[in-house]
Amino acid sequence: NPKKSRDVTMEFSVSNLPWATSSMVNYFAFGSNMNPAVLQGIRQITPVEQNPGLVTGYRLRFNMMGTPGVEPSFASAEVSSDPKDELHGVLFKLSWADWIKVAVTEGVPIGYTAESVRVQLYDGQELDAVTLTAGKFGRTPFNVDIRPSPRYRELLIEGARYHNVAEEYCKKLEQIEPNPFILIDTRESYARRRRSRGW
């Protein structure tokens, strides 16, 4: 069964945190942070290690509220009713400074909530990690899924393929239908931003 969630405040004590040591944090990304143009490029995070893996008993949802007409929703790791479900992504080993940067930019603990999970790497290792689930104040009304923008969907697909996430899972990402109600398409402006940062 999936582990119970654990709220992690900005105090960040390492006591009783299975996913951290005094110097490093294991962070499991499943959304746009899989994409190096976002994590390393936009957020200026420098992972010490990065490996594809999965978490059983979880699934990808788009129940994190965004901006209607621009970025209507964002991804969240959610416990599934089916214990056989798998959420694939990338396990990053980060310094505490970089993890705090991720947490702050993702709005932990208001928007997202940090949650402990057990990650199975494709090479067979199993490691404790922290991931992000939609928090009380970040969830969509009635906790419904809202289709993501074409740009956001592309970020997930690019990131998953960059890190050699399982092909079957990449195809599932490609089958996600993007939101048709986008008033402002930010793909070109985002591409310019990426180029300006060398990504």
Side-chain angles (χ1 to χ4, degrees):
N1 292 332
K3 291 189 177 183
K4 297 293 184 180
S5 64
R6 185 203 309 277
D7 288 352
V8 182
T9 68
M10 302 310 290
E11 294 175 0
F12 292 117
S13 168
V14 298
S15 60
N16 300 318
L17 298 182
W19 42 264
T21 67
S22 60
S23 59
M24 292 291 167
V25 171
N26 289 329
Y27 163 57
F28 182 72
F30 51 83
S32 62
N33 280 343
M34 290 190 294
N35 197 311
V38 175
L39 192 69
Q40 289 100 309
I42 301 299
R43 302 197 194 282
Q44 296 292 289
I45 302 296
T46 305
V48 176
E49 292 181 15
Q50 45 199 2
N51 295 286
L54 63 94
V55 177
T56 57
Y58 277 72
R59 65 190 180 102
L60 179 68
R61 291 195 59 191
F62 294 95
N63 61 337
M64 182 71 181
M65 195 67 194
T67 303
V70 183
E71 292 291 355
S73 65
F74 298 103
S76 175
E78 300 288 335
V79 174
S80 175
S81 58
D82 184 350
K84 294 181 180 178
D85 271 347
E86 295 178 349
L87 174 61
H88 291 245
V90 184
L91 182 67
F92 294 103
K93 180 177 285 188
L94 305 178
S95 68
W96 268 97
D98 274 349
W99 158 243
I100 291 173
K101 191 184 298 184
V102 168
V104 169
T105 56
E106 294 287 13
V108 176
I110 305 301
Y112 280 103
T113 297
E115 183 162 319
S116 296
V117 291
R118 187 73 172 173
V119 179
Q120 301 172 31
L121 299 183
Y122 291 171
D123 65 8
Q125 294 184 73
E126 291 194 10
L127 297 168
D128 290 306
V130 61
T131 196
L132 299 177
T133 187
K136 179 179 178 181
F137 299 104
R139 292 181 182 273
T140 56
F142 305 105
N143 199 31
V144 299
D145 285 271
I146 298 175
R147 283 188 283 177
S149 71
R151 182 192 80 93
Y152 191 73
R153 170 182 171 272
E154 288 171 6
L155 288 175
L156 270 62
I157 295 169
E158 287 178 3
R161 290 204 172 279
Y162 178 88
H163 288 286
N164 296 315
V165 168
E167 179 63 23
E168 183 179 353
Y169 190 80
C170 288
K171 288 180 178 178
K172 286 179 64 176
L173 293 179
E174 290 172 345
Q175 291 169 2
I176 295 171
E177 291 190 16
N179 198 307
F181 303 107
I182 302 299
L183 303 178
I184 301 174
D185 191 333
T186 61
R187 281 178 290 185
E188 182 54 38
S189 62
Y190 186 75
R192 288 196 300 270
R193 188 180 179 189
R194 287 172 63 165
R195 290 192 294 270
S196 70
R197 290 175 177 255
W199 288 94

